[in-house]
Amino acid sequence: AIRPSLDRITTLCKYLGDPQIGLDAIHVTGTNGKTSTTRIIDSLMFTKGFTTGLITSPHLAVLNERICLNTEPIGDHELEEALTLIQKLENELDEISSDAPSYFELMIAAGFYEMSSQGTNIAVIEVGMGGQFDATNICESKVSIITNVALDHLAYLGDTTRDIAIEKSGIIKENSTVVIGDSDEEIVSFLKSVAKTKNSKFYVLGEDF
């Protein structure tokens, strides 16, 4: 199911009405701490009065945990409704079924759909793996967070921390804000350079906060 491309999730979301468009997203990647970081942000935003949506993976006990609204996992009815709609699209449209979305892509599409349907103000989204070709990367993030970069998923992301940094930097959008939690000078310098090419502001742990 791991086939690096944003084509499948883009096509699927197109037929869902592009629910990812218009969501003010905070997008989080990194080798360690992604889930903790997203959950902390989600709680902070909710406490400040925002209507929040959260996408994380994997789940610990029940599938619903992957999609939260206002810090709580969505209900069984809402999850079933979203997945049934996606199943209907996949069964009826060759454009989707000819290159079937993965399990992860189906859940990301369901998450975007639910957050859009519920009028989410802030979407806090955890990358599944890497960044550049992760299904979450079709979101319109205002803030990108890279917690750190270390050797992980070598079979898919590359053999060096530089290779992995390239994959993770793929979530940085034009004219956005980037938060960097790594301390390795070479990695930090590289991520800063990517942010600059995207005309994005950056804040580095230990330097700016």
Side-chain angles (χ1 to χ4, degrees):
I2 299 174
R3 298 162 288 162
S5 172
L6 295 180
D7 293 342
R8 293 177 301 278
I9 186 69
T10 299
T11 300
L12 179 56
C13 283
K14 177 179 73 173
Y15 287 105
L16 287 171
D18 281 324
Q20 77 282 4
I21 294 177
L23 291 175
D24 285 342
I26 299 172
H27 202 189
V28 182
T29 191
T31 303
N32 308 106
K34 296 190 298 294
T35 302
S36 299
T37 301
T38 52
R39 290 195 178 279
I40 290 167
I41 295 168
D42 186 43
S43 294
L44 288 169
M45 294 294 101
F46 177 68
T47 301
K48 293 293 286 184
F50 292 102
T51 299
T52 64
L54 174 70
I55 293 176
T56 60
S57 61
H59 56 279
L60 297 177
V62 294
L63 188 64
N64 310 51
E65 295 171 20
R66 290 176 176 246
I67 306 168
C68 294
L69 297 172
N70 292 324
T71 74
E72 295 294 329
I74 64 171
D76 291 342
H77 175 74
E78 289 77 16
L79 180 59
E80 181 182 15
E81 182 180 59
L83 293 177
T84 299
L85 173 58
I86 291 171
Q87 182 185 45
K88 184 173 184 290
L89 291 173
E90 190 169 11
N91 288 340
E92 293 179 356
L93 297 170
D94 289 341
E95 190 176 354
I96 296 174
S97 61
S98 62
D99 188 12
S102 68
Y103 166 78
F104 182 73
E105 289 165 335
L106 296 173
M107 290 304 301
I108 296 304
F112 286 144
Y113 177 80
E114 280 300 311
M115 289 193 291
S116 178
S117 299
Q118 299 301 320
T120 295
N121 297 136
I122 301 287
V124 189
I125 301 170
E126 177 189 359
V127 166
M129 182 177 70
Q132 181 175 198
F133 294 111
D134 190 78
T136 61
N137 203 28
I138 63 169
C139 72
E140 296 185 328
S141 54
K142 301 292 181 69
V143 178
S144 300
I145 299 174
I146 301 172
T147 60
N148 71 324
V149 177
L151 295 176
D152 65 334
H153 300 293
L154 302 185
Y156 305 106
L157 302 181
D159 297 330
T160 68
T161 52
R162 172 77 175 204
D163 292 335
I164 294 170
I166 290 171
E167 288 296 322
K168 296 186 187 305
S169 70
I171 72 167
I172 299 173
K173 304 297 193 298
E174 296 280 349
N175 302 306
S176 63
T177 297
V178 183
V179 181
I180 302 169
D182 207 298
S183 58
D184 183 280
E185 290 184 8
E186 183 179 350
I187 296 300
V188 171
S189 177
F190 169 73
L191 295 175
K192 284 180 178 180
S193 69
V194 175
K196 289 175 182 176
T197 63
K198 298 291 183 70
N199 196 33
S200 294
K201 296 180 293 184
F202 54 83
Y203 298 90
V204 181
L205 179 64
E207 295 180 16
D208 303 300
F209 65 97

